[in-house]
């Protein structure tokens, strides 16, 4: 977590989000939106800039949590993911 305090943007997938919840002993009932909020409001080395947290969840909506600079105010928005057929997926 030493480097997170310097991050303006943080990207994680659903597995990393769930691992953060477990590592920080958050209750199992804690939603990914709540985890995103916790990360967005985590201590910042430069309070003049906010932090944006993006949680991807495969075919589920992307969670974006934006903490306003110098505050604990967080706006959370979810963006739908367009479904792809198996033929469109290149892995």
């Amino acid at each position: 977590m030493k480097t997170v305090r310097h991050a303006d943007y943080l990207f994680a997938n659903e597995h990393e989000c769930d691992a953060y919840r477990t590592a920080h002993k958050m209750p199992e009932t804690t939603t990914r939106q709540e985890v995103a909020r916790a990360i967005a409001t985590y201590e910042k080395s430069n309070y003049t800039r906010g932090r944006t947290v993006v949680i991807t969840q495969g075919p589920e909506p992307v969670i974006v949590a934006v903490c306003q600079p110098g505050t604990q105010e967080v706006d959370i928005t979810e963006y739908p993911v367009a479904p792809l057929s198996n033929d469109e997926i290149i892995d």
Side-chain angles (χ1 to χ4, degrees):
M1 294 299 294
K2 289 180 184 179
T3 57
V4 171
R5 61 187 302 268
H6 302 291
D8 293 336
Y9 295 89
L10 188 139
F11 291 82
N13 63 34
E14 70 272 27
H15 304 294
E16 294 163 329
C17 181
D18 295 345
Y20 180 94
R21 180 183 63 216
T22 301
H24 290 270
K25 298 180 178 21
M26 299 171 95
E28 282 293 316
T29 56
T30 304
T31 66
R32 290 182 180 141
Q33 290 84 351
E34 292 168 324
V35 174
R37 179 184 304 279
I39 297 169
T41 58
Y42 186 77
E43 169 188 1
K44 231 20 208 88
S45 61
N46 182 345
Y47 289 100
T48 63
R49 296 192 303 250
R51 179 179 292 123
T52 299
V53 177
V54 179
I55 308 291
T56 62
Q57 307 182 96
E60 298 300 316
V62 174
I63 300 165
V64 179
V66 179
C67 185
Q68 303 306 315
T71 73
Q72 294 289 302
E73 287 184 39
V74 179
D75 296 318
I76 296 180
T77 308
E78 292 188 25
Y79 296 93
V81 174
L84 297 175
S85 70
N86 287 339
D87 295 340
E88 295 175 293
I89 297 174
I90 301 172
D91 190 15

